[in-house]
Amino acid sequence: MTATGTTVYVAGIGCVGGFGAGIDAFRAALKQGCCSPTPLLQQHPDGQPFVPAYLAQTDKLSDFVPKRALRRLDHYARLALLGGYLALADAGLSAQDCEDLGVIIASGYGATGTTFGFLDSILNDGDSCASPTSFSTSVHNVAAAYLSMQMQALGPNLTVSCFEQSMTAALHNALCWLQSGRVRRVLVGGVDEHNPVVNYCYGRFFGTQTAAVLSPFSEQHSALPGEGAAFLLLTTERPGLSPVRLTDVASGSGVPTMAAPTDVVLAGADGHGATAPFYRRLSGETPALRSCTPCYGSLPTGQAFDLAAATLMLRDRCCYGLCAAPQTNEAGSCPAPQRISVVKYSGDGSYGHVRLQLEEGSRHA
Amino acid sequence: MTIKEKLKQILVEDLNLEDITPEEINDEDPLFGEGLGLDSLDAVELVVLVQKHFGVEIKDMEQGRPALQSVNTLAAFIEQNQA
């Protein structure tokens, strides 16, 4: 466990996904408890149909970066850039405030769409016709590098990939940088895109029959792929209104030890059969178990969206998402939370557990 | 489609020039610097694109520098070197 010796705050959140872009769009989806996946009618080149997915648009990125500067960026990097800029804006910062900023991106898939497209182009047209731009955007750290370059961030820069545990691993690193005084702020976020490679894997592993809705606590497989980016701007400086603290980051296996009281556990239960038993065990231990996965879909870095949702719940003093116990889903059935645990399981039973806490005596934003 | 029209389409679509259309590119516009604003990475990309779409290889800087001045010069180079 990384218990934060230095007090670390979540100064800003930024997210883009199937629900839209920005906090207001995310909050609207959270209040509704879900959003609709986009049906994809075209066929994959190999004849396999595309499964419905929670797809994200990055049009809003032109509010922050000139279009010409974006032309070499693929969808994956654009998702990262938009999520990062939205988190900065939420914290009241601009790219001029980023000199002492570290950047960490967590990704389960990485730039697989561009990487496979680049490899396909070599197979189809020969290596002499391989695109140098595609090569440069297929490397693993491209999104984090673009973020730092666009924001003129001179702090350390890292991309972490541990599939479902990527976000927890990224937070371990972020806390190390902040506690050692290496930087004053860290922009840390989860980014994953849906692309033909992921679509192929869904068809291969789970068949082409898909659930109509993602049911986080169902025993049936109901995972619907999602994509997007969710970022936290972490800092050691106390924000003025509704300061949310990052108090614990832990990795382990089995049922996480909730060392301090927690009002709500936000589960990354995203409809995958392999992880469902672990969340069911958690449900037995934790009455106030909720999930927001029907708002953003299934993706390895879904925990980043849960952390953004938890921050919103603490700021707004109310519960969002679906409760594991259906009778407690009515409005007003969940008291205003002060502490929220966010838990993400991998298929082997290992977990990442992150706890956020609203600082006592704080004023409502 | 003429070579020039095809080149303009490649410039916009393959180099992702989202702020300009093929019709807005003049045959004499400089490709780099003040004109279309392309840079050195675009030059490398263009060499690959010309080989891929027209089967014409730009072998070195000696060939590339005069060929990559404008749509006109590049189209002329392609015409001269197509089999």
Side-chain angles (χ1 to χ4, degrees):
Chain A
M1 172 177 284
T2 305
T4 60
T6 307
T7 304
V8 174
Y9 296 96
V10 180
I13 53 175
C15 47
V16 51
F19 49 83
I23 290 175
D24 291 342
F26 193 38
R27 183 186 281 118
L30 290 170
K31 282 181 176 175
Q32 199 175 337
C34 64
C35 72
S36 300
T38 308
L40 297 168
L41 302 176
Q42 76 271 33
Q43 298 280 308
H44 189 265
D46 67 3
Q48 183 179 297
F50 278 89
V51 299
Y54 297 85
L55 300 179
Q57 303 293 324
T58 57
D59 305 355
K60 209 174 177 184
L61 189 51
S62 56
D63 293 353
F64 301 99
V65 186
K67 274 191 172 179
R68 194 44 92 87
L70 297 173
R71 68 195 177 94
R72 292 197 181 108
L73 271 65
D74 62 6
H75 185 55
Y76 168 72
R78 288 179 189 223
L79 289 170
L81 216 50
L82 181 53
Y85 270 107
L86 288 168
L88 273 192
D90 182 48
L93 300 174
S94 69
Q96 281 73 48
D97 305 307
C98 294
E99 190 175 335
D100 193 15
L101 177 75
V103 174
I104 307 179
I105 284 185
S107 182
Y109 300 140
T112 42
T114 300
T115 303
F116 277 70
F118 176 69
L119 295 174
D120 282 345
S121 77
I122 292 176
L123 292 172
N124 294 335
D125 303 313
D127 53 4
S128 64
C129 287
S131 161
T133 306
S134 288
F135 171 71
S136 69
T137 52
S138 69
V139 294
H140 195 63
N141 200 37
V142 63
Y146 268 117
L147 259 176
S148 283
M149 286 193 296
Q150 283 296 328
M151 294 175 174
Q152 304 285 302
L154 302 179
N157 181 291
L158 188 66
T159 298
V160 177
S161 189
C162 304
F163 215 62
E164 287 104 333
Q165 302 309 318
S166 300
M167 191 61 191
T168 298
L171 288 170
H172 280 300
N173 276 283
L175 292 181
C176 286
W177 290 354
L178 289 167
Q179 288 174 342
S180 65
R182 193 165 177 191
V183 284
R184 281 190 305 139
R185 300 180 183 121
V186 181
L187 187 61
V188 55
V191 186
D192 274 309
E193 69 165 339
H194 185 65
N195 55 50
V197 180
V198 177
N199 184 75
Y200 171 83
C201 292
Y202 262 78
R204 179 80 184 270
F205 299 143
F206 310 120
T208 52
Q209 295 296 317
T210 55
V213 290
L214 195 162
S215 305
F217 300 111
S218 165
E219 294 185 11
Q220 304 298 318
H221 176 87
S222 65
L224 293 169
E227 68 170 5
F231 277 78
L232 310 178
L233 182 71
L234 302 181
T235 177
T236 50
E237 296 162 359
R238 187 181 186 278
L241 291 170
S242 297
V244 173
R245 286 179 55 191
L246 176 62
T247 59
D248 299 279
V249 180
S251 300
S253 60
V255 176
T257 306
M258 308 296 179
T262 289
D263 301 320
V264 172
V265 175
L266 212 47
D270 58 0
H272 277 295
T275 52
F278 304 115
Y279 291 113
R280 278 201 294 278
R281 275 181 64 193
L282 203 58
S283 176
E285 303 272 336
T286 314
L289 185 69
R290 304 183 83 88
S291 178
C292 300
T293 55
C295 298
Y296 58 80
S298 172
L299 66 165
T301 52
Q303 191 179 27
F305 290 86
D306 286 342
L307 287 164
T311 304
L312 274 180
M313 288 162 68
L314 291 169
R315 284 183 186 173
D316 295 352
R317 269 85 162 168
C318 64
C319 289
Y320 297 131
L322 297 175
C323 189
Q327 69 273 20
T328 53
N329 272 323
E330 289 89 30
S333 61
C334 176
Q338 288 284 321
R339 293 160 295 262
I340 300 178
S341 279
V342 175
V343 179
K344 179 73 174 174
Y345 274 106
S346 300
D348 65 356
S350 58
Y351 66 78
H353 171 210
V354 182
R355 187 163 41 224
L356 301 176
Q357 179 177 333
L358 185 67
E359 196 156 87
E360 287 183 18
S362 61
R363 289 176 294 132
H364 201 308
Chain B
M1 185 180 282
T2 66
I3 290 178
K4 287 180 189 176
E5 286 169 343
K6 178 75 176 168
L7 275 174
K8 290 174 186 177
Q9 186 183 9
I10 288 169
L11 284 168
V12 170
E13 291 181 4
D14 291 11
L15 299 182
N16 294 319
L17 304 179
E18 295 177 12
D19 51 357
I20 193 167
T21 65
E23 294 74 30
E24 289 173 322
I25 300 174
N26 295 314
D27 295 351
E28 292 292 341
D29 283 346
L31 298 180
F32 300 91
E34 293 285 310
L36 281 184
L38 303 185
D39 58 24
S40 57
L41 188 53
D42 293 311
V44 182
E45 192 76 42
L46 259 180
V47 169
V48 171
L49 289 169
V50 166
Q51 184 173 352
K52 185 174 170 181
H53 290 281
F54 300 100
V56 171
E57 194 177 351
I58 300 174
K59 290 183 176 142
D60 51 34
M61 288 285 285
E62 201 174 322
Q63 285 189 336
R65 197 179 294 277
L68 293 171
Q69 295 299 310
S70 66
V71 169
N72 263 347
T73 60
L74 189 51
F77 179 84
I78 291 167
E79 276 180 335
Q80 284 167 15
N81 290 279
Q82 268 182 328

